[in-house]
Each structure stands twice: as C-alpha cells, then as structure tokens.
C-alpha cells in the first residue's frame, strides 16, 4: 500500500507540473515607422536602411544602398548554407545559416552615423544610418589627397624596380575615377581635373617605361625546349624580346637537370629548372626554381616535351612574372 501511495503521489506531481507548462508563442514584432517610412535623403544628408543577421551586417547593407545612390558600382556576394539534422521519436532539429557578404568595391563610406537599430526577431536586425554629404565629401577629399601625396615620380638605377613602383602607384589610384564621380555628385562645384591629370601621368610613365624594356633569353643544351614558353609569356605581356644593352635590358638564363624514370608504363622526365634574370651590369635581380615532372607513354623524349607543355600551362595560370620572380 505504501508503494502504491508513493507512486500515485509521483504521478499526481508530474501531472500538476505538466498542467502548469504553457506554450510560448513568440509574436512577430511590428516594423517601426522609421524603417517602414524612412527619412528621405535631402540636400545635406543621406539616409539608408538595412537588414541583416547582425547589426554589423545590417549597417553594411545600408551603406551599400547609400553608395548605390551615388552612381557607384556595388558588388554583393550571397552565400547560403543550410544544415538539417533529423532527430528520433518524431522530433527534428534544423539549423540554417545564411551568410551575406556585401562589398562596396568602388568607394568606402567611412563617415556615417547609426541613427536607429532594433532587433526584430531571431538573428534579424534593422538599422537606419545617415551620412552628412559635406562631411563625406571632406573625408573622401582627405583620402584622395593622401593617395596623391604618396606618389613618387623619381627614377631608380634599376628599370624593373621603377616599373614595379609605377605599377604599385597605378594600383593605389585605380579607384580614383570612381571617387571623383561620387565627389562631383556630393559637390557640383568640385573640379577633379588635377587628380585625373595625376592618374594619367602615372599611367603614361608606366607604359613608356614598359615599352622601353627588352629581354633576351639564353639556356643550356638541356633547357632549349623551355625557352619558347618563357618567350610566349613575355610576348603576352607586350614585352620586347631582342638582344640589347643598357639599363633597360635584362637577360634571362635557363638551366635545368633532368632525371629519367618510369612508372606504371609511363616514361617520366623529372626536371629541376633554375631561372635567373640579370640586369645590364650582370647583377641578379630575380631568380626562381621549379620542379616539373613530364610524362608520356611514348618514351622519354616526349616526356621531356611534356615538361615544356606544363611550364607553358603554369605561365598561363600564374603569369610569367611569377614564374620569373619579377614584378612586371
């Protein structure tokens, strides 16, 4: 009887707990007025709203939208990953992850203020951001002046180093035309001609120096078949191949050692390649070592030719400058 009473008490206790358990239904949060009817951009201030799984993501989306109103190219990359896990006994669990990456490639809006932010659901944020046009203009102008101030037009004794310097400067200025477009939208009186002139000047200096550079290629007897891929790679870069002298001429030397082997019916040519580039004074300015294995079912000589084919493919994939170890 005591056992029966104890069991009955336990059942009544569990029943009482179960009756007290209530279902909680999360009500959907209503969107605030500042999001449904956001403040409109005016002559002095830009406004934009955004939504994301975090505050940072929502801000990025809002800034992308703001930048798009300034005639700026926007690149957005969306990645979605879903993982579903099914449980036992009529239960299931689902995990879903959504990754959104927004990249404003042409301009960075660094001068902004988050006016409103609200979490309206699980991993769901909304924001309202604003940016003062004058402050944004001034920040872009400051950034532009910094880019121009780093430009150096002096020459060096090594034409290849000078070419690399011009290339680095070209890369740092490649977004200037887009910045000027935005600045003209923000301030109609802005004149960006001096900046355009500077970009054009660097482009012309780079191209003029590139056109004046010449290369010659020599090799030992083992590496004769490797000259053509190097030559073709240089030609693709619009570089001149000819005998010459002077500070703008460079000599590429190829040497290699090949070992013969076989495996599973294939003839193998294991080739260790050394590439050096020297300037007019004979100083080595770049070098590289490659290990390429050619193979063929038609014999060792064809396997050696396969080494040249693989070198050519490597140059097409990575660029002749990487294979040579140069900055062109």
């Amino acid at each position: 009887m005591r056992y029966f009473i104890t069991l009955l008490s336990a059942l009544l206790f569990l029943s009482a707990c179960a009756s007290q358990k209530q279902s909680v239904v999360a009500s959907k949060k209503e969107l605030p007025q500042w999001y449904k009817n956001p403040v409109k951009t005016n002559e002095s201030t830009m406004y934009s709203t955004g939504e994301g799984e975090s505050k940072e993501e929502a801000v990025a989306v809002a800034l992308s939208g703001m930048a798009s109103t300034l005639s700026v190219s926007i690149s957005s990359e969306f990645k979605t990953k879903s993982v579903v896990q099914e449980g036992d006994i009529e239960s299931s669990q689902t995990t879903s992850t959504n990754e959104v990456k927004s990249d404003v490639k042409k301009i960075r809006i660094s001068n902004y203020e988050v006016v409103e932010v609200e979490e309206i659901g699980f991993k769901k944020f909304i924001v309202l951001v604003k940016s003062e046009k004058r402050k944004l203009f001034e920040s872009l102008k400051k950034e532009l002046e910094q880019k121009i101030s780093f430009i150096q037009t002096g020459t060096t004794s090594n034409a290849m180093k000078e070419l690399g310097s011009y290339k680095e400067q070209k890369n740092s200025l490649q977004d200037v035309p887009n910045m000027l477009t935005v600045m003209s939208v923000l301030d109609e009186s802005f004149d960006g001609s001096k900046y355009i002139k500077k970009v054009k000047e660097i482009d012309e200096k780079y191209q003029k120096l590139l056109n004046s550079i010449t290369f010659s290629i020599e090799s030992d007897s083992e590496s004769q078949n490797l000259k053509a891929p190097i030559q073709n790679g240089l030609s693709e870069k619009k570089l001149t191949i000819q005998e010459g002298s002077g500070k703008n001429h460079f000599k590429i030397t190829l040497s290699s050692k090949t070992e013969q082997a076989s495996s599973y019916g294939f003839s193998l040519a294991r080739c260790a390649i050394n590439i050096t580039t020297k300037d007019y004074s004979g100083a080595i300015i770049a070098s590289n070592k490659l290990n390429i294995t050619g193979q063929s079912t038609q014999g060792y000589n064809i396997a050696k030719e396969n080494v040249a084919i693989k070198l050519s493919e490597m140059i097409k994939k990575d660029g002749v400058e990487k294979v040579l170890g140069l900055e062109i």
Side-chain angles (χ1 to χ4, degrees):
M1 179 62 71
R2 184 178 298 173
Y3 174 80
F4 176 78
I5 293 172
T6 303
L7 180 60
L8 182 61
S9 299
L11 290 173
L12 289 173
F13 176 79
L14 292 173
S15 177
C17 291
S19 65
Q20 292 176 6
K21 189 175 181 181
Q22 298 179 358
S23 299
V24 179
V25 179
S27 59
K28 187 177 181 181
K29 231 176 177 182
E30 187 174 346
L31 292 174
Q33 282 298 317
W34 60 261
Y35 190 80
K36 291 194 293 185
N37 299 299
V39 186
K40 293 183 179 180
T41 293
N42 54 49
E43 291 184 359
S44 63
T45 310
M46 296 182 297
Y47 293 90
S48 183
T49 58
E51 177 183 321
E53 291 188 357
S54 65
K55 175 186 173 182
E56 293 74 18
E57 185 179 293
V59 169
V61 171
L63 293 178
S64 293
M66 184 179 290
S68 66
T69 65
L70 297 171
S71 302
V72 180
S73 175
I74 305 298
S75 172
S76 296
E77 180 183 347
F78 296 92
K79 296 179 181 178
T80 303
K81 178 178 65 177
S82 296
V83 180
V84 178
Q85 297 176 339
E86 296 185 356
D88 300 328
I89 316 177
E90 300 180 352
S91 66
S92 64
Q93 179 181 359
T94 302
T95 302
S96 180
T97 303
N98 183 34
E99 300 175 1
V100 181
K101 178 183 178 184
S102 297
D103 181 21
V104 183
K105 288 192 172 181
K106 304 300 183 183
I107 187 175
R108 183 177 72 253
I109 298 179
S110 56
N111 192 293
Y112 66 91
E113 178 186 346
V114 179
V115 182
E116 302 280 358
V117 58
E118 189 171 331
E119 186 176 7
I120 60 172
F122 179 66
K123 288 189 175 182
K124 192 172 185 180
F125 289 78
I126 54 174
V127 297
L128 172 67
V129 299
K130 76 172 184 178
S131 180
E132 302 292 339
K133 289 184 177 181
R134 174 46 54 181
K135 290 182 179 179
L136 177 57
F137 176 85
E138 293 299 334
S139 68
L140 290 173
K141 187 176 181 181
K142 182 179 179 180
E143 183 181 347
L144 189 57
E145 291 289 352
Q146 288 176 340
K147 286 178 179 289
I148 298 300
S149 67
F150 286 130
I151 299 302
Q152 300 175 352
T153 56
T155 61
T156 66
S157 58
N158 188 315
M160 200 59 65
K161 287 184 179 180
E162 188 177 347
L163 187 70
S165 176
Y166 283 140
K167 184 178 180 180
E168 186 177 342
Q169 292 172 33
K170 274 168 54 69
N171 291 338
S172 70
L173 297 175
Q174 64 182 355
D175 59 345
V176 166
N178 298 289
M179 293 178 68
L180 296 177
T181 299
V182 171
M183 292 171 71
S184 297
V185 173
L186 295 172
D187 185 350
E188 294 182 0
S189 65
F190 173 67
D191 181 11
S193 57
K194 72 172 185 178
Y195 302 106
I196 295 175
K197 183 179 178 181
K198 197 67 178 179
V199 173
K200 186 178 180 182
E201 177 186 333
I202 297 299
D203 283 338
E204 290 176 347
K205 286 179 178 291
Y206 171 82
Q207 197 58 51
K208 183 179 179 180
L209 181 58
L210 185 67
N211 293 339
S212 70
I213 290 176
T214 57
F215 289 90
S216 58
I217 306 173
E218 62 181 26
S219 69
D220 57 18
S221 58
E222 281 288 314
S223 312
Q224 287 291 323
N225 62 327
L226 304 179
K227 292 172 65 175
I230 301 293
Q231 183 172 332
N232 292 336
L234 292 171
S235 298
E236 286 290 325
K237 297 286 291 185
K238 309 299 182 185
L239 292 165
T240 305
I241 302 166
Q242 65 181 36
E243 294 297 327
S245 59
K247 73 169 190 175
N248 290 358
H249 182 75
F250 299 88
K251 182 182 292 185
I252 299 171
T253 303
L254 301 171
S255 62
S256 63
K257 183 178 180 181
T258 308
E259 294 182 355
Q260 184 174 353
S262 61
S263 178
Y264 298 102
F266 285 91
S267 295
L268 304 178
R270 296 192 176 100
C271 189
I273 306 169
N274 289 303
I275 307 174
T276 58
T277 304
K278 299 180 181 180
D279 65 11
Y280 68 100
S281 67
I284 297 175
I285 64 165
S287 63
N288 198 9
K289 293 183 178 181
L290 304 172
N291 292 294
I292 300 176
T293 299
Q295 61 185 38
S296 174
T297 58
Q298 303 176 39
Y300 174 67
N301 289 334
I302 304 299
K304 282 189 65 177
E305 291 299 323
N306 186 242
V307 172
I309 293 173
K310 287 187 175 181
L311 177 60
S312 181
E313 291 172 349
M314 184 182 296
I315 291 172
K316 288 179 181 178
K317 178 183 176 183
D318 300 329
V320 69
E321 58 269 46
K322 183 174 181 180
V323 171
L324 296 175
L326 287 173
E327 184 69 30
I328 301 176

